[in-house]
Amino acid sequence: MDYPAVIGWTADEAVWILDQTLLPDREEHRELDSVDAVAEAIRRLRVRGAPLIGVAAAMGMTLALRDCATRAEALVALEAADQQLRSARPTAVNLGWALDRIRRCLDRELGDVPSLRQVVRSQADQIREDEQANCEKIGVAGLPLLPEGAGVMTICNAGALATGGLGTATAPIYLAHSEGRRLEAIVPETRPLLQGARLTAWELMRAGISATLIPDGAIASRLAQGDVTCAIVGADRIAANGDVANKIGTLGLALAAWDAKVPLYVAAPRSTFDPHCPTGAEIPIELRDADEVRGFQNTTTAPSEVAVWNPAFDVTPARLITGYIMPEGLLERVE
Amino acid sequence: MDYPAVIGWTADEAVWILDQTLLPDREEHRELDSVDAVAEAIRRLRVRGAPLIGVAAAMGMTLALRDCATRAEALVALEAADQQLRSARPTAVNLGWALDRIRRCLDRELGDVPSLRQVVRSQADQIREDEQANCEKIGVAGLPLLPEGAGVMTICNAGALATGGLGTATAPIYLAHSEGRRLEAIVPETRPLLQGARLTAWELMRAGISATLIPDGAIASRLAQGDVTCAIVGADRIAANGDVANKIGTLGLALAAWDAKVPLYVAAPRSTFDPHCPTGAEIPIELRDADEVRGFQNTTTAPSEVAVWNPAFDVTPARLITGYIMPEGLLERVE
């Protein structure tokens, strides 16, 4: 399976990431050698996608220990790093989930700084491997949804670039393609940051998978054409009642899919489910900077002083979701 | 009422237009001194909006007569110009409607070249005045939909820039504002060509009307917030059964408005209704260039070789439309 490498350790134990803000024009790695740098990379979406920001935060925790001489110093630095990374973005629950996993391991480790570093690093590696394995399992669970000739719509990027593995929403697509099934991915560009155009189109084409880019406004019209057989999206947080927070535009896609009778599936690992969040109404929605909508890169697209509403996510009610593709299997909703 | 001038005659009887592709950065007039130039301006969206391209085509017909010495030459040139302008864009019915009006006047005019020119020019002026008057009447008909404190969503630009008057969808907004009512316009940016961001936000701010720009993907989410009391959109063609072709994204807006119980109105003059078109399925939908979606101006936003589907319009079924705001009054649909 040909998917891009997105994160790893450098030779001197810093973290490297594929800087996703530069794609598709440039494929550049960026070294992150401090907790500040990791938090900045998460906030600025250099590294993004619910599973991947959990991985990045966990790996970033090792950097808190860089200048610590004593266990006492280390515990203070780890606590500060946990707080800083946890608050880097509010919506994806995976961030807190990964940091909780690190925290639980630290609670059991009574050794000195090298031991603490070893524990954090090995747990971060475990989280990364778990997320990769989850992607594989999601792919297997979702494979029956994409028979020969399938047309599949996905929004934003819930791909390799969002997970470090096969992706969540894209995992069944990669697997179906690798089995030789002919299929077509329909990719909305996903303003304002164009993760569909810049990232999903790029990684699918890189893998030799046929993809068609559409403006976000064409989602409903394309679903009404009859050639999209299934929609699969990722998730940033799934509430206990099945409501899903995902990239802004998902709710519109869900309403259009419902009207066109196209089944809509949400692909996500267990870490995206938040049992403490009763419904979508309780999920915090990140509001991002106005300038993301007033332009793109160095191009201005609107009057500079216009007011902007720029939520990064929306909430799709469970009633619009056909099922959830989880590592544990395909869970179809029953009304 | 403070709205921009968008089209007129130059001193030497050519046509000038406000070049809308340069907004909001530059407010530049462009002289069109041939039928070719008018057709190019319509195709390239320098002049756009269903009513306004009808006006531009009608005015452009005078330019066919520039080098004609005899009546016989003139009739040939007028016929060629009619064909060229009529096919410049396929979806808006106003283009053919305006050219039909010119044609009917020519059929009654038996004089020489100066007489023919006079007939075309005065009919073009009449069409322009009629569209301006239609906008005023649409504004009056739609005014009760926008009480004090209203939140109104509109897509693309069905404004002064689309009509030469107060706009269609924007006419009630301009009138409500001029009556001192506090209101908020919610403006989706409308990719790929960003007429919401570049044009509607610009003209509303210019008039001192409060406007909030949102990404197209945020339409459904914003409608679900509860502060949008009404949606008003324009139309490029309305079929006999009430189905509406309008800017791509309108169908998604309509589905989201329906789900959120926000009433959706379509504002249009009689020239946008096409009695010869039984349903939306028979409306031809213009497919535009892939590069409009692969980038914006000189900025690339997607892999250069990715396939693109870029329909300029979609069709909203009549079942999703609360009513039609026409110069003749407000027509509410009855199920």
Side-chain angles (χ1 to χ4, degrees):
Chain A
M1 219 83 64
D2 183 25
Y3 60 89
V6 293
I7 198 165
W9 301 107
T10 67
D12 63 343
E13 303 210 312
V15 176
W16 66 259
I17 57 162
L18 177 62
D19 186 344
Q20 300 192 24
T21 62
L22 305 179
L23 290 172
D25 290 341
R26 283 182 289 150
E27 197 171 337
E28 272 181 30
H29 288 185
R30 185 181 181 96
E31 183 172 325
L32 309 176
D33 61 2
S34 67
V35 175
D36 281 351
V38 174
E40 190 266 0
I42 293 173
R43 267 196 314 273
R44 295 282 303 276
L45 281 56
R46 299 186 193 283
V47 60
R48 44 148 299 285
L52 188 58
I53 63 178
V55 170
M59 292 173 73
M61 285 291 284
T62 60
L63 303 172
L65 298 168
R66 285 217 142 178
D67 299 317
C68 295
T70 66
R71 177 177 162 85
E73 268 184 69
L75 294 179
V76 171
L78 286 166
E79 181 60 34
D82 180 287
Q83 303 262 329
Q84 186 181 355
L85 292 167
R86 200 175 282 267
S87 61
R89 295 192 70 193
T91 300
V93 72
N94 312 60
L95 193 54
W97 171 90
L99 291 166
D100 286 342
R101 275 182 67 167
I102 299 285
R103 186 182 279 264
R104 281 195 296 274
C105 294
L106 286 169
D107 286 347
R108 291 193 297 268
E109 172 54 52
L110 304 176
D112 53 6
V113 177
S115 309
L116 290 167
R117 178 180 294 119
Q118 185 48 43
V119 157
V120 176
R121 175 162 172 154
S122 71
Q123 185 59 22
D125 283 336
Q126 190 60 52
I127 290 170
R128 182 151 65 120
E129 283 166 31
D130 288 352
E131 292 294 22
Q132 285 171 344
N134 282 335
C135 290
E136 288 273 347
K137 290 179 192 162
I138 286 170
V140 172
L143 195 52
L145 302 175
L146 300 179
E148 170 72 17
V152 54
M153 184 179 283
T154 185
I155 194 171
C156 192
N157 176 268
L161 291 167
T163 59
L166 283 177
T168 51
T170 58
I173 300 173
Y174 279 110
L175 282 186
H177 176 72
S178 79
E179 300 217 336
R181 297 183 197 168
R182 185 179 50 83
L183 44 86
E184 176 76 17
I186 310 297
V187 181
E189 58 175 354
T190 321
R191 276 281 285 166
L193 294 178
L194 299 164
Q195 292 93 337
R198 294 191 304 107
L199 308 181
T200 303
W202 177 80
E203 70 168 87
L204 293 181
M205 290 178 75
R206 191 177 177 283
I209 297 168
S210 182
T212 297
L213 183 66
I214 64 171
D216 301 326
I219 289 173
S221 180
R222 185 61 181 237
L223 286 165
Q225 302 291 305
D227 63 342
V228 178
T229 54
C230 166
I232 307 180
V233 301
D236 290 79
R237 192 184 300 218
I238 303 177
N241 72 338
D243 291 352
V244 169
N246 190 46
K247 176 57 53 192
I248 192 75
T250 303
L251 172 59
L253 186 158
L255 289 164
W258 182 266
D259 192 68
K261 299 187 172 55
V262 174
L264 168 65
Y265 291 90
V266 175
R270 185 58 67 96
S271 57
T272 304
F273 285 78
D274 183 1
H276 305 298
C277 195
T279 76
E282 287 81 32
I283 301 176
I285 298 295
E286 176 183 6
L287 287 172
R288 293 185 61 85
D289 198 80
D291 284 340
E292 290 182 353
V293 185
R294 292 192 194 119
F296 178 72
Q297 291 174 353
N298 298 322
T299 304
T300 300
T301 59
S304 58
E305 62 299 11
V306 70
V308 167
W309 187 61
N310 183 22
F313 307 97
D314 58 26
V315 173
T316 298
R319 67 180 158 92
L320 299 173
I321 297 167
T322 310
Y324 304 83
I325 313 174
M326 299 164 67
E328 295 79 6
L330 185 63
L331 180 71
E332 305 248 358
R333 277 175 43 80
V334 180
E335 282 305 320
Chain B
M1 220 82 64
D2 183 24
Y3 61 87
V6 294
I7 199 164
W9 302 107
T10 67
D12 62 343
E13 303 210 312
V15 176
W16 67 258
I17 57 162
L18 176 63
D19 186 344
Q20 300 192 25
T21 63
L22 305 178
L23 290 172
D25 290 341
R26 282 182 290 152
E27 197 172 337
E28 273 181 28
H29 288 184
R30 186 182 179 94
E31 183 173 324
L32 309 176
D33 61 3
S34 66
V35 174
D36 280 351
V38 174
E40 190 265 0
I42 292 173
R43 268 197 313 274
R44 296 281 303 275
L45 280 58
R46 299 185 194 285
V47 61
R48 42 146 301 284
L52 188 57
I53 63 178
V55 170
M59 293 174 73
M61 285 292 283
T62 60
L63 303 173
L65 299 168
R66 285 218 144 180
D67 300 317
C68 296
T70 65
R71 177 177 162 86
E73 266 183 70
L75 293 179
V76 171
L78 285 165
E79 181 61 33
D82 179 288
Q83 303 261 330
Q84 186 180 357
L85 292 167
R86 201 175 282 267
S87 62
R89 294 191 71 193
T91 300
V93 72
N94 312 58
L95 193 53
W97 172 89
L99 291 167
D100 286 343
R101 276 182 65 167
I102 298 285
R103 187 182 278 266
R104 282 195 297 274
C105 294
L106 286 170
D107 285 348
R108 290 192 298 268
E109 172 53 52
L110 304 175
D112 54 6
V113 178
S115 309
L116 289 167
R117 179 181 294 118
Q118 185 48 44
V119 157
V120 175
R121 177 162 170 154
S122 72
Q123 184 60 22
D125 282 336
Q126 189 61 53
I127 290 170
R128 182 151 64 120
E129 283 166 32
D130 287 352
E131 292 294 21
Q132 286 171 342
N134 282 335
C135 290
E136 288 272 349
K137 290 179 193 162
I138 286 170
V140 171
L143 195 53
L145 303 174
L146 301 179
E148 170 72 17
V152 54
M153 185 179 284
T154 184
I155 193 170
C156 191
N157 176 268
L161 291 167
T163 58
L166 281 177
T168 51
T170 57
I173 300 174
Y174 279 109
L175 282 187
H177 175 72
S178 79
E179 300 218 335
R181 297 185 197 167
R182 184 180 51 83
L183 44 87
E184 175 76 17
I186 310 297
V187 181
E189 58 176 355
T190 321
R191 277 281 284 165
L193 295 179
L194 299 164
Q195 292 92 336
R198 293 190 305 106
L199 307 181
T200 302
W202 178 80
E203 70 167 86
L204 293 181
M205 290 177 75
R206 190 176 178 286
I209 296 169
S210 182
T212 297
L213 183 67
I214 65 172
D216 301 326
I219 288 173
S221 181
R222 184 60 181 238
L223 286 165
Q225 303 290 306
D227 63 342
V228 178
T229 54
C230 167
I232 307 179
V233 301
D236 291 79
R237 191 183 301 217
I238 303 177
N241 73 337
D243 292 352
V244 170
N246 190 45
K247 176 57 52 190
I248 192 75
T250 303
L251 173 59
L253 186 159
L255 289 164
W258 182 267
D259 192 68
K261 301 186 172 54
V262 174
L264 168 64
Y265 291 89
V266 175
R270 184 58 66 98
S271 56
T272 304
F273 285 78
D274 182 1
H276 306 296
C277 195
T279 77
E282 286 81 33
I283 301 176
I285 298 295
E286 176 183 6
L287 287 173
R288 293 185 60 86
D289 198 78
D291 284 340
E292 290 182 353
V293 184
R294 292 191 194 121
F296 177 73
Q297 291 174 352
N298 298 321
T299 305
T300 300
T301 59
S304 57
E305 58 305 6
V306 70
V308 167
W309 186 62
N310 183 23
F313 306 97
D314 58 24
V315 173
T316 298
R319 67 180 158 92
L320 299 173
I321 297 167
T322 310
Y324 304 83
I325 313 174
M326 299 164 65
E328 296 77 8
L330 186 63
L331 181 71
E332 305 249 358
R333 276 175 45 80
V334 180
E335 283 304 321

